[in-house]
Amino acid sequence: MEYDVRRVRSDFPCLDQEVRDRPLVYLDSAATAQRPSCVIGAVERYYSTYNASVHRGVHALAARATDAFEGARRSLQGFVNARSADEIVVTKGCTEALNLVASSYGSAQIKPGDQILVSTLEHHSNIVPWQMAAQRSGAVVRPIPIDDAGVLDLEALDRLLRRPTAVVAVNHVSNALGTINPVKEIATRAHRAGAIIVVDGAQAGPHMPIDVQALDADFYAISGHKMYGPTGVGVLYGKLDLLRAIPPYQGGGSMIHTVTFEKTTYAEPPAKFEAGTPPIAEFIGLGAAAEYVLGLGRENIVAHEHEVLEYGRGLVGEVEGVRIVGNAPDRCGILSFVIDGVHPHDVGTVLDTEGIAVRAGHHCAQPLMDRLGLAATVRASLGMYSTKEEMEVLVAGIRKVKEVFL
């Protein structure tokens, strides 16, 4: 199927507007993506026609809501190719999913003297929960180094794995550089050393196919709003035997089986980890987003985004005084750069006057910025709706920045 980006853009109403009297160029999809009309409609239909809680009521609206909610779970099962829908835990976001694993698996399985390996490429959400788990258990968090291009050093990982290791935590795609990590290779090394692998897939979900069985990931976290779904929702995939083995994260609501004042027994996964009323409308919307992405064909999205990204990298790289940050051979979605003599925040401010939305800062990846010797970068991040023409507008904006400051 031919990928028609103009047709795709017509599905995203927020893109069709002017900002600062100029057509919006939205290059901040790594922070949050725009939503297609089908996602907006799914959320609106829930609130307009069958708003009810799930898994509790016996009336018609409750049944419709539960059917839609569990249908979304099956959509996400297909999206990541999990063996069972019971391996799909609904969370309030990717960060909560990672905290769930760090808390529950950490309390049950991480011992004093263990180490937890996290890559230098990590977002704070895949660092801080492990530091908290280490503080509780007496374990140690150690970073897996990278080279100057932003590629993980797998030989260093092998050396680190000679020590007792409970967890290897990596992202699938770096939110700051766009590096695609070789998760399958890392999983093989981690399992050989007796560790589990936890994958932050927040930036992979919108850009590339995910097959948790092929990757042999033990846990895999997804963010809803970065893959064209609503905010306030995410997914944790976990191997069923692991979900059964670890304790619940929070108590209350549908996570129980029986309760007495003497003892509580817990429901089977995934209900065991879904305390309280879940984000119902948001998860139904996320199911619609997953079906939308699958309907377009992820191989088509990958090819389109790769073409736009490489076109943009070529244009930006030709501008004197501009340096692209992150040059891993396997990359997607992210174009980070710095302009000599201009603070990234000033770059972002001037680009905004041109109608161009980017993000400037450390991207919640301060250890990575420290490793690269940078305080911040400008990050232009793509979505399925990005175009080559937008890359040309970005470069014109960069030239405007240089006129203003240099």
Side-chain angles (χ1 to χ4, degrees), residues 173-188:
V173 174
S174 162
N175 74 307
L177 305 182
T179 301
I180 300 174
N181 280 322
V183 170
K184 173 61 179 172
E185 288 185 47
I186 297 168
T188 300

Side-chain angles (χ1 to χ4, degrees), residues 70-255:
E70 293 305 320
R73 196 189 304 273
R74 290 190 292 275
S75 293
L76 270 299
Q77 175 196 353
F79 193 79
V80 301
N81 194 32
R83 288 185 180 86
S84 166
D86 291 341
E87 296 178 315
I88 302 298
V89 178
V90 181
T91 69
K92 296 179 179 63
C94 189
T95 296
E96 187 186 59
L98 293 167
N99 274 275
L100 189 164
V101 180
S103 177
S104 295
Y105 188 86
S107 66
Q109 300 294 335
I110 300 176
K111 305 182 298 296
D114 281 346
Q115 65 176 358
I116 302 164
L117 302 181
V118 298
S119 88
T120 304
L121 290 163
E122 295 313 300
H123 186 278
H124 297 165
S125 293
N126 206 21
I127 299 174
V128 179
W130 298 113
Q131 291 174 327
M132 296 165 69
Q135 289 170 355
R136 290 191 294 266
S137 64
V140 177
V141 174
R142 291 192 170 91
I144 309 166
I146 59 171
D147 66 18
D148 292 340
V151 177
L152 270 184
D153 184 341
L154 295 184
E155 292 184 2
L157 171 62
D158 285 338
R159 290 192 294 274
L160 286 165
L161 285 170
R162 292 170 187 164
R163 298 180 179 180
T165 306
V167 174
V168 176
V170 297
N171 55 40
H172 202 166
V173 174
S174 162
N175 74 307
L177 305 182
T179 301
I180 300 174
N181 280 322
V183 170
K184 173 61 179 172
E185 288 185 47
I186 297 168
T188 300
R189 287 167 162 82
H191 291 152
R192 188 186 303 141
I196 66 161
I197 180 169
V198 180
V199 185
D200 174 355
Q203 297 296 337
H207 297 301
M208 56 194 293
I210 298 168
D211 186 336
V212 292
Q213 295 187 63
L215 294 172
D216 201 12
D218 295 295
F219 293 100
Y220 195 106
I222 290 178
S223 167
H225 71 105
K226 297 182 193 300
M227 56 166 280
Y228 312 105
T231 57
V233 68
V235 163
L236 174 67
Y237 158 81
K239 290 179 177 175
L240 198 54
D241 58 340
L242 289 172
L243 291 176
R244 286 173 171 155
I246 63 177
Y249 177 52
Q250 297 175 326
S254 297
M255 55 77 67

Side-chain angles (χ1 to χ4, degrees), residues 177-338:
L177 305 182
T179 301
I180 300 174
N181 280 322
V183 170
K184 173 61 179 172
E185 288 185 47
I186 297 168
T188 300
R189 287 167 162 82
H191 291 152
R192 188 186 303 141
I196 66 161
I197 180 169
V198 180
V199 185
D200 174 355
Q203 297 296 337
H207 297 301
M208 56 194 293
I210 298 168
D211 186 336
V212 292
Q213 295 187 63
L215 294 172
D216 201 12
D218 295 295
F219 293 100
Y220 195 106
I222 290 178
S223 167
H225 71 105
K226 297 182 193 300
M227 56 166 280
Y228 312 105
T231 57
V233 68
V235 163
L236 174 67
Y237 158 81
K239 290 179 177 175
L240 198 54
D241 58 340
L242 289 172
L243 291 176
R244 286 173 171 155
I246 63 177
Y249 177 52
Q250 297 175 326
S254 297
M255 55 77 67
I256 61 95
H257 181 241
T258 63
V259 177
T260 68
F261 279 111
E262 288 72 34
K263 182 181 180 181
T264 295
T265 59
Y266 305 123
E268 287 293 305
K272 176 180 172 183
F273 299 99
E274 296 177 357
T277 302
I280 301 169
E282 292 82 357
F283 190 57
I284 291 170
L286 180 56
E291 293 296 332
Y292 179 77
V293 171
L294 293 171
L296 288 176
R298 283 190 283 191
E299 67 283 0
N300 296 324
I301 297 171
V302 169
H304 170 74
E305 290 186 357
H306 179 76
E307 186 175 343
V308 175
L309 177 65
E310 295 308 308
Y311 182 72
R313 285 175 59 90
L315 292 180
V316 171
E318 291 174 354
V319 181
E320 186 177 355
V322 176
R323 177 163 61 93
I324 293 175
V325 181
N327 293 290
D330 294 326
R331 57 189 178 236
C332 68
I334 307 291
L335 201 174
S336 276
F337 61 92
V338 293

